[in-house]
Amino acid sequence: MKDATVSFIGSGVMAEAMISGILGQGLTAPGHITASDPRQERGQELRERYGVLATTDNREAVQGKGIVVLSVKPQVMPGLLEELKEAISPEALVLSIVAGARIKAIAEGLGHQSVVRVMPNTPAQIGEGMSVWTATPAVSEHQRSQAQSILRALGEEVYLEDEDYLDMATALSGTGPAYVFLFMEAMIDAGVHLGFSRRVAQQLVLQTIRGSVDFAERSAAHPAELRNMVTSPGGTSAEALYQLEKGGFRTVLSRAIWAAYQKSKYLGELSSKEDRD
Ligand SMILES: NC(=O)c1ccc[n+]([C@@H]2O[C@H](COP(=O)([O-])OP(=O)(O)OC[C@H]3O[C@@H](n4cnc5c(N)ncnc54)[C@H](OP(=O)(O)O)[C@@H]3O)[C@@H](O)[C@H]2O)c1
């Protein structure tokens, strides 16, 4: 990565998390990073905070043979692809974190072969993300390892060869924080219902979730075994688990994740169709 240039097209929340991660890991120098954004004040902010270069001109930002990160909202993509068509050096790597934007649509839209598509998630903002990624055959070994280094600065990363897995990852890890936050909220509300102050209920729930994750990670046991460990015969866990199963907790969760997967595929097909139209 040393001396590699990295240009962000769209310099919002995720781009800032990536800039912070890249600089935190010392992957490249601030002077090699360019943040492009329509709002000049946003560029100014990032320049002051990280010492990076800033511009409002996307075409100027993609000059060079380094890495071009597409970090705009999905609805901006069609116009952006048109704006940047044939503007990126064939030697550069395009890395897209745009939800739902298919590799084919990006490659054809830009007229560019080397594309990495990533599905990150929200905890990437604090370096605890889960990124699932795939790459076109034109991406070189060197570029793959550059992409991997960048994603490792955001948390954990998993490379998968088939792009279909990105739709699955969208439903599991990409959308996953929404399920966990809802679960968290419901537990906190239940704690308040029992009589705890919201502050104490929140502390109890967050530490319980964090501790359970750490415990599951350090233990070799299957989650069902861990659950059995805390379920004494005729006890409180057995009573609560009975109600959760009776309410269809497992099935509802499975259906929700399946629905998110279907929606991700549908949105991907829709955006590819729009790009063709
Ligand atoms: N946030 C997450 O946790 C997360 C997780 C997984 C995936 N993603 C994906 O990451 C991408 C970025 O998300 P984000 O949360 O960072 O969004 P964001 O904070 O809204 O950042 C997008 C930035 O792009 C700028 N922009 C708009 N039009 C542009 C254009 N034509 N050229 C260049 N920049 C333009 C926006 O400026 P204005 O605000 O002035 O319009 C904004 O600063 C999205 O596609 C999202 O699906 C995000």
Side-chain angles (χ1 to χ4, degrees):
M1 275 294 297
K2 283 273 179 248
D3 296 332
T5 61
V6 189
S7 305
F8 290 88
I9 309 303
S11 303
V13 175
M14 282 302 268
E16 179 165 0
M18 292 176 85
I19 292 171
S20 163
I22 289 169
L23 294 176
Q25 299 286 317
L27 296 180
T28 196
H32 290 153
I33 297 179
T34 304
S36 182
D37 202 83
R39 277 187 312 120
Q40 208 166 2
E41 316 86 80
R42 177 61 179 157
Q44 181 66 24
E45 204 172 79
L46 294 174
R47 193 190 336 224
E48 280 166 15
R49 210 170 283 164
Y50 301 99
V52 299
L53 310 172
T55 177
T56 54
D57 184 341
N58 290 335
R59 286 180 74 90
E60 179 194 311
V62 302
Q63 298 309 311
K65 295 170 185 167
I67 301 158
V68 174
V69 180
L70 304 181
S71 41
V72 294
K73 289 282 189 207
Q75 59 270 29
V76 176
M77 272 300 262
L80 183 70
L81 295 179
E82 221 164 281
E83 181 189 352
L84 294 182
K85 194 166 180 75
E86 314 290 352
I88 300 172
S89 160
E91 287 159 72
L93 171 68
V94 171
L95 186 151
S96 166
I97 62 160
V98 181
R102 293 272 160 97
I103 283 206
K104 190 164 179 282
I106 299 170
E108 285 180 5
L110 293 175
H112 187 84
Q113 297 303 311
S114 304
V115 181
V116 160
R117 179 184 163 197
V118 186
M119 183 62 224
N121 68 6
T122 303
Q125 289 175 36
I126 54 155
E128 289 289 345
M130 181 70 249
S131 298
V132 178
W133 61 287
T134 193
T136 55
V139 175
S140 69
E141 271 311 312
H142 177 60
Q143 288 171 324
R144 271 171 198 250
S145 90
Q146 285 182 322
Q148 195 174 38
S149 303
I150 291 180
L151 298 179
R152 282 190 180 163
L154 295 178
E156 293 189 18
E157 51 77 34
V158 169
Y159 168 81
L160 291 165
E161 210 151 316
D162 192 337
E163 194 178 9
D164 271 356
Y165 283 111
L166 264 80
D167 286 320
M168 296 181 207
T170 302
L172 202 58
S173 50
T175 319
Y179 320 144
V180 176
F181 294 142
L182 178 67
F183 179 74
M184 210 180 259
E185 186 192 336
M187 274 185 76
I188 293 168
D189 284 350
V192 172
H193 187 201
L194 292 175
F196 284 112
S197 71
R198 193 158 284 281
R199 184 184 57 80
V200 172
Q202 176 155 336
Q203 187 184 357
L204 264 61
V205 169
L206 262 59
Q207 180 53 26
T208 300
I209 294 174
R210 195 178 3 247
S212 304
V213 169
D214 287 351
F215 191 47
E217 212 164 40
R218 282 185 221 172
S219 159
H222 186 281
E225 274 181 65
L226 298 175
R227 183 166 49 77
N228 286 346
M229 275 164 56
V230 291
T231 312
S232 354
T236 55
S237 302
E239 194 60 33
L241 290 169
Y242 170 75
Q243 290 297 337
L244 282 170
E245 297 286 16
K246 193 173 170 210
F249 180 72
R250 197 191 290 260
T251 318
V252 166
L253 196 59
S254 182
R255 281 196 185 139
I257 294 172
W258 185 259
Y261 169 54
Q262 298 300 326
K263 186 76 173 192
S264 173
K265 285 205 297 184
Y266 170 74
L267 292 175
E269 279 156 20
L270 197 70
S271 70
S272 306
K273 192 168 164 282
E274 276 166 7
D275 289 338
R276 280 198 306 272
D277 290 348

